[in-house]
């Protein structure tokens, strides 16, 4: 809340000219709450077993195009990961860096 880091500088650009750099401000924003996977050996082995026992050809057979094939496999992998690997909520700093003209 309210912490700011302000930085400005000038340097020689060509003979007799100066180039202004933008002012950079780092504002501290509210922390962000995110869900992240909590990977463990058990989760990895379970996920590997899930993928080893998957009949992958069914995705190819059901797809009409390469994009459908890729989308269906990606969705399947995401669903398996969501079903098997637990998630935890973590708070991450919410700093933002923005540039403003001088």
């Amino acid at each position: 809340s309210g912490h700011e880091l302000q930085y400005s500088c000038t340097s020689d650009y060509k003979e007799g000219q100066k180039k202004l750099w933008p002012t950079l401000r780092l504002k501290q924003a509210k922390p962000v709450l995110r869900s992240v996977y909590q990977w463990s050996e058990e989760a990895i082995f379970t996920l590997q077993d899930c993928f080893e026992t998957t009949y992958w050809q069914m995705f190819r057979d059901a797809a009409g195009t390469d994009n459908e094939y890729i989308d269906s496999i990606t969705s399947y992998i995401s669903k398996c990961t969501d079903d098997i690997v637990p998630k935890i909520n973590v708070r991450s700093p919410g700093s933002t860096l923005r540039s403003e003209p001088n």
Side-chain angles (χ1 to χ4, degrees):
S1 289
H3 299 296
E4 273 192 23
L5 175 67
Q6 199 168 28
Y7 177 76
S8 295
C9 71
T10 60
S11 65
D12 289 332
Y13 181 63
K14 288 183 179 177
E15 280 184 42
Q17 293 181 344
K18 298 276 184 187
K19 181 177 180 183
L20 291 176
W21 295 96
T23 300
L24 299 177
R25 288 192 175 147
L26 182 62
K27 288 197 159 217
Q28 187 174 5
K30 292 181 182 179
V32 176
L33 191 62
R34 300 180 327 145
S35 291
V36 296
Y37 290 109
Q38 187 175 20
W39 292 95
S40 66
E41 269 191 47
E42 180 184 355
I44 291 168
F45 289 134
T46 304
L47 199 56
Q48 283 176 333
D49 183 56
C50 175
F51 295 147
E52 286 173 2
T53 58
T54 297
Y55 179 63
W56 294 100
Q57 186 61 40
M58 73 178 166
F59 295 103
R60 173 50 79 194
D61 295 342
T65 65
D66 286 344
N67 284 341
E68 287 177 1
Y69 178 54
I70 292 166
D71 288 345
S72 62
I73 287 180
T74 302
S75 295
Y76 177 73
I77 290 170
S78 294
K79 168 123 177 61
C80 291
T81 304
D82 287 342
D83 289 349
I84 294 169
V85 184
K87 284 187 172 183
I88 57 170
N89 291 324
V90 295
R91 208 174 283 271
S92 60
S95 294
T96 58
L97 184 65
R98 58 188 179 131
S99 170
E100 295 178 355
N102 284 336

